[in-house]
């Protein structure tokens, strides 16, 4: 039996897919790692409960296989994971954080890198770090060489063991470092890269757990060691998402704060970007529903062109807050919770197009000049990259598919270089959730809005130039959102931003 409330059309009243049970699933990525055209699920397991492997669920039509097709040969207390091209061969490699085991006396683990070899990750890591207690990992091209670097968020508040957050960079085949770390030992469970000041490189948002969240600027390919910004209030960041919530061209930050020792303070927070820096106090906060807000993702789920917020928690509902004119609804417009409620402990949420029923092809063109080497694609989440060409030639690139950031080698950028990126994105994102509760599996909720919307427009004798909105109503002019335009006797979909 499943108990749910649904106020927003588009998502089913029960999961569309569930993987096999038995793991303490934590890290999650959704990407076509083997190049067959179908999004795959990459899941890291273990958390602080057991030594378990990393697994890949291969994508298929319409849903992925429920049993993994690949498992790492090494079992660890894995935290989160991140994907990025470390060796410049065009496919996604895998970095996994090593955390700490509750039942093993809070032992230390190592972080690991698994290379993608022709569509399959190697069973053994090609790199491991020194031992530590790291739970989060974020990818991004910090030094501008067009190869993926990884920031590990470290420190275990449970065992009173703070540690610096550490950055490792690619040397073209593996990771080296750390080349940067916070000067102080802290507790941090999550981080995200973003271009907060729109200067063409990636800065670092570091969530503290507990502590005041921080922002470190990128200064010519190096992260500053002194944060340029701190939040006013203490947080307990577990997961972080970035996106332009209010559509002003500056990327904002959403944080899921668990506060597992003080549930009254657990909350989702939105920090708006004000002309290149973040507001120090969040302009939108949600405390309910939930007790342990642990996971958050941003993406368009209703096809209106702006990012909505999907969140979850430990033993809490999965919730959706709609973007309403640049901020989020005060209450969820959809939520789902299993019975019993403790069958869902959300660790990570990823938005994408699992069944490929709403993948939209598009091409963006940018003009770059040194030292800028980072752009943000006009739409995200990104489903696939078709080509990346700088002045007409293919170049290596690093993609952050959830936020849409893409970087190319800075030494390949000349005065007024033309960067053309062809890719697909989805305006009707599906929801994928990694679930720590080992009696259940991981979940996918398919978004059925594309099929219902596509069937609405269409008069019996349409005239060229006739425009309909998503409800099938004829309109005279288009604002922001999805529209259907008649041309040549056919109906085509148009997104206006």
């Amino acid at each position: 039996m499943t108990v749910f409330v649904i106020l927003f059309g588009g998502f089913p009243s029960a999961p569309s897919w569930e993987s096999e049970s038995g793991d303490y699933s934590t890290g999650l990525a959704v990407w076509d790692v083997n190049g067959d055209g179908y999004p795959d699920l990459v899941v890291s397991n273990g958390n602080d409960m057991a030594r378990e492997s990393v697994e890949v669920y291969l994508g298929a039509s319409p849903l992925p296989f429920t049993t993994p097709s690949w498992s790492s040969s090494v079992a660890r207390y894995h935290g989160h994971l991140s994907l990025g091209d470390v060796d410049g061969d065009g496919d996604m490699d895998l970095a996994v954080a090593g955390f700490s085991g509750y039942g093993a006396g809070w032992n230390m683990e190592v972080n690991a890198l698994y290379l993608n070899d022709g569509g399959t990750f190697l069973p053994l890591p090609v790199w491991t770090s020194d031992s530590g207690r790291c739970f989060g990992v974020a990818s991004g091209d910090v030094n501008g060489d067009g190869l993926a670097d990884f920031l590990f968020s470290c420190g275990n508040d449970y065992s009173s063991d703070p540690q610096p957050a550490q950055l490792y960079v690619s040397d073209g085949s593996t990771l080296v470092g750390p080349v940067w770390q916070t000067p102080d030992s802290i507790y941090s469970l999550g981080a995200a890269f973003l271009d907060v000041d729109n200067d063409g490189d990636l800065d670092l948002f570091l969530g503290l757990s507990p502590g005041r969240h921080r922002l470190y600027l990128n200064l010519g390919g190096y992260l500053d060691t002194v944060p340029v910004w701190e939040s006013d209030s203490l947080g307990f960041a577990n997961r972080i998402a970035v996106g332009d919530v209010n559509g002003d061209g500056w990327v904002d930050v959403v944080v899921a704060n668990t506060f597992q020792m003080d549930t009254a303070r657990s909350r989702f927070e939105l920090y708006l970007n004000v002309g290149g820096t973040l507001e120090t106090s969040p302009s939108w906060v949600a405390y309910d529903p939930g007790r342990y807000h642990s996971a958050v993702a941003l993406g368009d789920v209703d096809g209106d062109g702006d990012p909505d917020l999907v969140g979850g928690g430990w033993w809490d509902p999965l919730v959706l807050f709609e973007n309403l004119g640049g901020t989020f609804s005060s209450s969820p417009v959809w939520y789902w919770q299993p019975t019993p409620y403790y069958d869902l402990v959300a660790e990570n949420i990823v938005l994408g197009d699992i069944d490929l029923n709403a993948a939209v092809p598009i091409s963006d063109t940018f003009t770059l000049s040194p030292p800028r080497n980072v752009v943000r694609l006009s739409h995200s989440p990104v489903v696939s990259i078709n080509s990346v060409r700088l002045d007409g030639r293919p170049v290596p690139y690093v993609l952050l598919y959830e936020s849409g950031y893409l970087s190319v080698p800075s030494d390949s950028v000349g005065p007024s270089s033309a960067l053309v990126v062809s890719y697909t994105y989805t305006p009707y994102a599906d929801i994928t959730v990694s679930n720590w509760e080992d009696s259940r599996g991981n979940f996918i909720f398919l978004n059925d809005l594309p099929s219902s919307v596509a069937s609405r427009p269409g008069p019996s004798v349409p005239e060229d130039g006739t425009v309909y909105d998503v409800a099938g109503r004829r309109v005279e002019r288009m604002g922001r959102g999805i529209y259907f335009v008649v041309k040549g006797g056919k109906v085509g979909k148009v997104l206006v931003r």
Side-chain angles (χ1 to χ4, degrees):
M1 177 181 179
T2 300
V3 176
F4 68 95
V5 173
I6 183 163
L7 305 173
F8 176 86
F11 291 109
S13 59
S16 309
W17 174 92
E18 182 176 346
S19 67
E20 64 179 11
S21 61
D23 292 318
Y24 297 101
S25 296
T26 304
L28 173 67
V30 178
W31 190 255
D32 178 15
V33 296
N34 66 351
D36 67 353
Y38 295 106
D40 309 308
L41 274 63
V42 187
V43 182
S44 54
N45 303 296
N47 206 291
D48 59 354
M49 299 298 292
R51 289 186 174 93
E52 295 180 340
S53 62
V54 186
E55 299 174 330
V56 174
Y57 296 84
L58 283 182
S61 179
L63 288 165
F65 297 108
T66 56
T67 57
S69 62
W70 176 89
S71 297
S72 63
S73 296
V74 180
R76 292 194 173 99
Y77 292 99
H78 290 116
H80 285 271
L81 60 84
S82 189
L83 301 180
D85 189 358
V86 170
D87 51 7
D89 63 355
D91 53 29
M92 289 286 201
D93 306 304
L94 166 65
V96 191
F99 189 44
S100 186
Y102 170 73
W106 297 117
N107 65 306
M108 294 193 290
E109 283 283 15
V110 297
N111 308 312
L113 173 69
Y114 294 85
L115 288 183
N116 188 327
D117 183 19
T120 301
F121 296 120
L122 297 176
L124 292 171
V126 298
W127 168 89
T128 56
S129 69
D130 292 336
S131 296
R133 297 179 176 89
C134 302
F135 190 66
V137 55
S139 62
D141 178 14
V142 175
N143 57 10
D145 62 358
L147 301 172
D149 312 314
F150 293 93
L151 186 284
F152 292 90
S153 302
C154 308
N156 185 1
D157 179 56
Y158 286 136
S159 58
S160 300
D161 291 310
Q163 291 181 327
Q166 296 183 324
L167 174 68
Y168 295 82
V169 299
S170 170
D171 68 355
S173 60
T174 187
L175 296 179
V176 296
V179 300
W180 177 92
Q181 65 181 28
T182 55
D184 52 342
S185 292
I186 57 176
Y187 301 109
S188 178
L189 300 177
F193 286 103
L194 73 161
D195 186 2
V196 71
D197 48 6
N198 283 351
D199 66 348
D201 54 27
L202 288 178
D203 311 302
L204 172 66
F205 184 96
L206 185 63
L208 268 67
S209 316
R212 300 183 190 277
H213 307 319
R214 303 175 179 180
L215 181 67
Y216 294 89
L217 290 182
N218 190 323
L219 305 177
Y222 300 90
L223 291 177
D224 197 354
T225 55
V226 179
V228 70
W229 171 94
E230 289 187 348
S231 60
D232 281 341
S233 59
L234 294 178
F236 207 108
N238 197 64
R239 293 286 88 201
I240 296 156
V242 300
D244 186 2
V245 174
N246 59 1
D248 64 353
W250 301 90
V251 171
D252 314 303
V253 177
V254 178
V255 183
N257 296 279
T258 52
F259 276 107
Q260 58 260 51
M261 303 302 182
D262 187 0
T263 59
R265 302 170 71 182
S266 180
R267 61 192 183 269
F268 298 120
E269 297 176 321
L270 166 63
Y271 292 92
L272 289 176
N273 189 327
V274 184
T277 189
L278 299 176
E279 56 186 358
T280 55
S281 294
S283 57
W284 176 90
V285 180
Y287 290 90
D288 294 315
R291 296 159 296 170
Y292 303 101
H293 300 80
S294 61
V296 67
L298 289 174
D300 191 5
V301 303
D302 53 5
D304 64 357
D306 53 28
D308 307 295
L309 185 156
V310 181
W314 302 341
W315 308 285
D316 288 339
L318 188 66
V319 294
L320 167 64
F321 294 89
E322 187 178 6
N323 191 322
L324 300 173
T327 190
F328 300 116
S329 55
S330 58
S331 300
V333 297
W334 174 87
Y335 76 82
W336 175 82
Q337 188 169 36
T339 299
Y341 69 89
Y342 48 76
D343 276 351
L344 174 61
V345 179
E347 286 290 346
N348 201 18
I349 298 171
V350 177
L351 302 183
D353 192 356
I354 298 295
D355 57 359
L356 300 177
N357 72 330
V360 179
I362 194 172
S363 182
D364 288 350
T365 301
F366 306 89
T367 300
L368 296 179
S369 293
R372 301 178 67 94
N373 75 304
V374 174
V375 298
R376 185 169 180 265
L377 301 178
S378 61
H379 302 286
S380 60
V382 178
V383 176
S384 64
I385 292 287
N386 301 319
S387 66
V388 176
R389 294 185 175 273
L390 185 67
D391 294 327
R393 66 186 187 279
V395 291
Y397 62 90
V398 175
L399 172 70
L400 310 186
Y401 63 91
E402 293 179 86
S403 58
Y405 281 110
L406 184 141
S407 61
V408 296
S410 57
D411 60 6
S412 299
V413 177
S416 301
S417 286
L419 175 65
V420 180
V421 183
S422 297
Y423 63 102
T424 60
Y425 76 98
T426 177
Y428 297 101
D430 305 317
I431 300 173
T432 305
V433 185
S434 61
N435 184 20
W436 173 92
E437 173 53 50
D438 66 339
S439 65
R440 296 290 299 268
N442 306 297
F443 301 118
I444 291 174
F445 295 82
L446 293 180
N447 191 333
D448 64 7
L449 269 179
S451 59
S452 62
V453 168
S455 64
R456 292 173 187 171
S460 56
V461 186
E463 298 177 358
D464 276 8
T466 304
V467 179
Y468 298 88
D469 64 13
V470 294
R473 298 168 297 199
R474 182 170 177 170
V475 297
E476 296 300 322
R477 63 184 62 183
M478 293 183 287
R480 291 181 61 190
I482 293 286
Y483 294 87
F484 296 86
V485 180
V486 179
K487 184 176 181 180
K490 297 181 179 180
V491 178
K493 185 167 56 177
V494 176
L495 172 64
V496 180
R497 290 181 60 86

